[in-house]
Amino acid sequence: MMKTFACSFTWFVISQLVWFCEGADIFDDNGKVDCTRTNSCNGADIYCSADCVVRCEDSLSCMSATVHCPKDQRCDVQCLTTLACHKLTVNGTHSAALSIAGCDTLSFCTGGTVYFPPNNNGTSRAQIVGGWESVSLPVNFYALNGWSDVEVIDASIDSNAVVPSG
């Protein structure tokens, strides 16, 4: 499978290979992107073309990055430590399913933006899993049909948080 990288400074692991990818465009079709070190995918644009798992494993590892979820495929974003997903943008508007997990401790997912896929005949295709009650900076949620697009599992979120997108 073809992989294209435009990388510079900092660690990033993809398919067991180590790359330097801060601020890079990351294209991968193997379905897994592991941002394993501090700032490893900082400011990166991450593009997935198949079912995709993006793991933000260290402090600031996905800070200011943008995950472009695949069209008609699953997209799973995991924020696994303090500030791992600070200012992260996730665009799952056209994905078959979107899951965002791990924002269960103060500052894991602060200041970010999430675009959810619309529900399918009333069944949500997006999940927010765990926590969120202690997120200290605003997180912007965009969902075409409001909360009917998003299933909230083991999380506490203000019901006014979802802003319908146009």
Side-chain angles (χ1 to χ4, degrees):
M1 298 196 169
M2 183 177 202
K3 296 169 185 65
T4 305
F5 303 94
C7 301
S8 65
F9 312 113
T10 310
W11 294 101
F12 171 138
V13 177
I14 203 164
S15 298
Q16 307 303 317
L17 300 173
V18 177
W19 300 88
F20 298 95
C21 293
E22 182 176 349
D25 287 343
I26 302 166
F27 300 86
D28 184 61
D29 59 0
N30 77 349
K32 187 172 183 184
V33 177
D34 288 327
C35 301
T36 60
R37 305 245 198 260
T38 298
N39 293 319
S40 57
C41 295
N42 182 349
D45 278 302
I46 301 168
Y47 297 89
C48 297
S49 60
D51 283 353
C52 185
V53 176
V54 177
R55 292 175 49 90
C56 304
E57 298 180 16
D58 203 355
S59 181
L60 304 176
S61 58
C62 293
M63 182 175 96
S64 299
T66 300
V67 176
H68 302 274
C69 294
K71 183 177 181 180
D72 299 325
Q73 303 288 322
R74 297 185 59 79
C75 188
D76 181 17
V77 178
Q78 301 170 1
C79 304
L80 303 174
T81 192
T82 303
L83 290 173
C85 294
H86 181 62
K87 296 184 179 179
L88 175 69
T89 297
V90 178
N91 186 352
T93 304
H94 301 290
S95 291
L98 172 63
S99 175
I100 300 178
C103 297
D104 55 359
T105 301
L106 183 63
S107 298
F108 274 39
C109 300
T110 58
T113 301
V114 180
Y115 297 90
F116 295 104
N119 68 64
N120 184 9
N121 294 319
T123 301
S124 65
R125 295 189 299 152
Q127 293 181 336
I128 297 173
V129 183
W132 294 85
E133 64 275 354
S134 58
V135 171
S136 59
L137 293 175
V139 177
N140 299 304
F141 294 144
Y142 295 92
L144 185 62
N145 304 298
W147 283 110
S148 65
D149 289 342
V150 184
E151 178 182 8
V152 179
I153 301 171
D154 296 327
S156 174
I157 300 175
D158 181 346
S159 63
N160 295 317
V162 171
V163 179
S165 59

